[in-house]
Amino acid sequence: MPKPKKILKIIGGVIIFFTLPSLLLYAYMYFKYNEDLPTGTEGKEAHQLATKMLNALDYEAYKATDYIEFTFKKRHHFKWHKTNNTCEVYWKNIKVNLDLQDHDTSEVFLSEERYTGEDAEDYINKAVDLFNNDTFWLVAPYKVLDDGVERRLVTTKNGKEALLVTYTSGGSTPGDSYLWHLDDSGKPLSYQMWVDILPIDGLEASWQDWTTTTTGAQLPTFHKFFFFGLEIDDIKTSQNDQ
């Protein structure tokens, strides 16, 4: 039987074997990609750039869209009734009828059966987090004029104008910032993120493969984020709640 010292040595070797590559990868990515939050100028020009982005995406068509249905990463499905401020959130065998105004009135279903157990609140809280995260990847450009949003005009290293947006309230992680990179028409190409959930600042994700929905709102169907692809499928919209 191995001695305790040898057992500890083996365990230590296993831990190093699995963690060292991860640490080295993180160090490489940190020094290669980490960026400080850029400074920018608030005011008229920042607002004009935000308006240009909204016009490029037909903001009026989005505002007139009452209902949006979509699937995020083939795992989470949403039926979002914008006008009613409610959303049906689905994952695995779980459905939450989420009241976005008053979470306490939300309903939980497991395998289509109403569930009121002690952990029902946990399911509601998860549905809120899924909604905040996944809908942001779908409609974030349309939120740049929301209350509690700060907008700054930034000049990038290549001399182009970019829009820095900071959410001072709302969502699951207030304080997050995003730097929008736009094409000449104002349509989003990508954004860089300074968010609590990511350990590296300034990571970039593409906004691409846009589709024009039946209501005229333009929505992305794919994001490239490092080696990962974030797919958005089954998008349906209407101007009347269904």
Side-chain angles (χ1 to χ4, degrees):
M1 183 176 179
K3 295 180 180 180
K5 187 175 181 179
K6 187 173 183 180
I7 293 175
L8 291 174
K9 187 175 181 179
I10 293 172
I11 293 173
V14 171
I15 293 173
I16 292 173
F17 178 81
F18 284 105
T19 60
L20 184 58
S22 298
L23 290 173
L24 291 174
L25 177 61
Y26 171 75
Y28 168 78
M29 292 177 63
Y30 182 87
F31 287 109
K32 182 175 177 62
Y33 295 105
N34 190 75
E35 293 185 20
D36 292 333
L37 182 67
T39 58
T41 304
E42 289 187 90
K44 181 179 178 180
E45 291 183 341
H47 184 82
Q48 288 176 339
L49 187 58
T51 301
K52 181 178 180 179
M53 179 170 72
L54 291 173
N55 290 339
L57 296 175
D58 199 341
Y59 183 44
E60 293 303 316
Y62 172 75
K63 286 198 297 183
T65 300
D66 295 316
Y67 174 82
I68 301 177
E69 181 177 345
F70 70 100
T71 300
F72 186 71
K73 296 198 302 185
K74 303 187 183 299
R75 299 177 187 173
H76 314 141
H77 190 69
F78 301 84
K79 295 181 179 180
W80 181 14
H81 302 262
K82 286 175 57 192
T83 303
N84 294 341
N85 211 14
T86 61
C87 186
E88 299 166 34
V89 183
Y90 301 81
W91 72 98
K92 296 181 180 178
N93 68 326
I94 303 163
K95 171 188 172 183
V96 176
N97 288 339
L98 187 60
D99 187 326
L100 297 167
Q101 188 68 35
D102 183 1
H103 298 164
D104 292 337
T105 65
S106 302
E107 298 176 322
V108 178
F109 295 84
L110 301 185
S111 301
E112 301 184 0
E113 295 290 330
R114 177 75 183 277
Y115 181 74
T116 57
E118 292 183 358
D119 56 345
E121 185 177 356
D122 294 336
Y123 289 116
I124 293 172
N125 290 336
K126 179 169 182 178
V128 171
D129 287 340
L130 291 178
F131 175 85
N132 288 340
N133 179 79
D134 297 2
T135 58
F136 193 82
W137 284 102
L138 185 71
V139 303
Y142 294 110
K143 297 173 67 64
V144 296
L145 295 184
D146 284 1
D147 292 337
V149 176
E150 296 177 350
R151 294 165 295 275
R152 293 176 173 83
L153 183 68
V154 173
T155 301
T156 64
K157 295 177 181 178
N158 59 10
K160 291 191 173 183
E161 292 183 342
L163 180 66
L164 180 64
V165 175
T166 300
Y167 293 87
T168 62
S169 61
S172 297
T173 54
D176 290 348
S177 295
Y178 302 83
L179 183 65
W180 288 97
H181 299 278
L182 314 173
D183 67 13
D184 292 339
S185 72
K187 195 168 186 176
L189 297 171
S190 66
Y191 65 20
Q192 290 179 266
M193 297 170 279
W194 285 262
V195 297
D196 284 343
I197 197 173
L198 295 176
I200 299 175
D201 290 335
L203 293 178
E204 188 169 10
S206 71
W207 281 66
Q208 62 187 83
D209 298 349
W210 293 83
T211 184
T212 301
T213 67
T214 55
T215 60
Q218 297 184 48
L219 299 172
T221 62
F222 188 79
H223 304 283
K224 184 178 180 182
F225 181 51
F226 273 110
F227 317 108
F228 309 104
L230 306 180
E231 297 177 338
I232 302 175
D233 303 310
D234 308 319
I235 296 176
K236 300 174 184 176
T237 62
S238 70
Q239 290 184 340
N240 299 307
D241 256 354
Q242 295 177 355

